[in-house]
């Protein structure tokens, strides 16, 4: 009986160690700034956003001025985290990834500075 309990505890400890290592690798490597920046170039390339950052009156296929009034869920294409947006014109990337990569939230392209 004691041997079964000891074996069970060892198996639980091994599973716990595997989960901790997996969680650590995902948070340290996968979502590091360098990884997010390289993923941004892989997905969106090195093109620049057409929107003038000083003007809010810019509309094209990627920068919609018209949207429905509804809380809309979306998933960031760089960090894969789920967020909610205040209207139906959801961005492609979250504000955190936009700050890290210097990209436009709506289209994912590099911001002209």
């Amino acid at each position: 009986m004691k041997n079964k309990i000891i074996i069970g505890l060892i198996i639980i400890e091994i599973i716990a160690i595997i989960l901790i290592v997996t969680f650590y690798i995902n948070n340290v490597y996968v979502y590091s700034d360098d990884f997010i920046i390289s993923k941004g170039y892989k997905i969106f390339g090195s093109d620049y956003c057409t929107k003038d950052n000083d003007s809010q009156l810019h509309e094209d296929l990627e920068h919609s001025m018209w949207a429905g009034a509804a809380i809309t869920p979306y998933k960031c294409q760089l960090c894969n985290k789920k967020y909610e947006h205040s209207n139906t014109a959801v961005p492609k990337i979250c504000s955190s990834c936009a700050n890290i990569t210097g990209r436009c939230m709506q289209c994912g392209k590099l911001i002209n500075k």
Side-chain angles (χ1 to χ4, degrees):
M1 182 72 168
K2 287 184 180 181
N3 288 338
K4 289 181 180 179
I5 294 173
I6 292 173
I7 292 171
L9 290 175
I10 291 173
I11 290 172
I12 290 172
E13 288 177 10
I14 291 171
I15 292 171
I17 290 171
I18 291 171
L19 290 174
I20 290 170
V21 169
T22 303
F23 180 75
Y24 178 77
I25 289 171
N26 281 339
N27 285 331
V28 171
Y29 175 70
V30 174
Y31 297 117
S32 69
D33 290 356
D34 291 334
F35 178 80
I36 290 174
I37 290 169
S38 66
K39 191 172 179 183
Y41 278 102
K42 183 178 178 183
I43 294 173
F44 301 111
S46 58
D47 294 336
Y48 284 91
C49 178
T50 58
K51 180 179 176 184
D52 181 12
N53 291 326
D54 296 333
S55 172
Q56 295 297 323
L57 300 175
H58 174 85
E59 182 176 30
D60 58 18
L61 292 176
E62 296 175 325
H63 302 92
S64 178
M65 288 178 56
W66 297 94
I71 304 294
T72 310
Y74 75 98
K75 188 165 117 175
C76 175
Q77 292 184 14
L78 297 181
C79 67
N80 294 324
K81 292 181 183 175
K82 294 180 181 179
Y83 296 95
E84 289 183 344
H85 193 62
S86 59
N87 58 45
T88 57
V90 294
K92 291 187 178 181
I93 61 176
C94 66
S95 61
S96 176
C97 289
N99 289 334
I100 291 170
T101 60
R103 294 180 175 276
C104 174
M105 287 179 62
Q106 284 80 26
C107 66
K109 295 178 182 174
L110 293 168
I111 295 176
N112 291 323
K113 292 188 178 188

